[in-house]
Amino acid sequence: MNTAATSSHPGGTDLRALLAGLSPRLHPTPRRFLFVSHDKALARMHEALMMFREDEGVTLIVDHDLEGTELVADRLLWAQITLGVESSLDAVGMMAAVSAALAARDISCNPVSAFLHDHVFVPWNRREDALDALAHLSA
């Protein structure tokens, strides 16, 4: 049953138009996912790109500064790819198509939807492969 209605959210909902206009953009700074207790989250909120509270604690996505810090294993570093197309929160299928394109290349992803744009976090060492996969998806 198709229950499509006009979206009250800004951004597009047409899947073909969204995929054609993905415009993926790689952020140059690696990111890290951190898990902290509820009482420590407030002190780190200023550095968070994203914060999500769960019953067990708080997940933060933060910049990882490569200068002056101890390098962590590549598997703990994530690349943030912002999808430049403005997608509605009501859009159906775009993130599923993005995830499937990355999965087809054996690239894990952690999608985050914000109000105007979607963001995909992929392993830092697979960032170029991920951009290539997304370029082929939008072609």
Side-chain angles (χ1 to χ4, degrees):
M1 179 172 154
N2 186 352
T3 59
T6 303
S7 173
S8 61
H9 299 285
T13 59
D14 179 81
L15 181 58
R16 287 187 182 157
L18 292 171
L19 294 177
L22 273 183
S23 301
R25 184 175 71 249
L26 176 67
H27 291 264
T29 304
R31 313 294 195 193
R32 290 187 319 154
F33 282 68
L34 300 178
F35 185 74
V36 298
S37 64
H38 290 282
D39 59 332
K40 291 184 180 176
L42 188 57
R44 302 212 54 183
M45 230 173 64
H46 69 283
E47 65 183 300
L49 299 166
M50 190 234 31
M51 180 180 95
F52 196 91
R53 288 189 303 250
E54 298 178 282
D55 291 341
E56 303 86 354
V58 179
T59 298
L60 303 170
I61 300 176
V62 299
D63 285 344
H64 178 74
D65 183 7
L66 292 176
E67 297 296 321
T69 62
E70 182 178 315
L71 288 177
V72 296
D74 276 351
R75 66 182 177 82
L76 299 177
L77 295 179
W78 297 87
Q80 178 184 353
I81 298 173
T82 295
L83 304 178
V85 66
E86 285 191 15
S87 60
S88 172
L89 290 170
D90 294 333
V92 175
M94 185 181 83
M95 291 309 289
V98 166
S99 295
L102 295 170
R105 298 213 190 173
D106 201 31
I107 301 171
S108 63
C109 72
N110 293 286
V112 172
S113 294
F115 198 75
L116 295 177
H117 298 280
D118 295 282
H119 310 269
V120 183
F121 293 85
V122 299
W124 182 254
N125 61 353
R126 299 294 310 274
R127 63 193 181 278
E128 296 300 331
D129 295 333
L131 284 173
D132 186 60
L134 296 177
H136 282 86
L137 179 63
S138 63

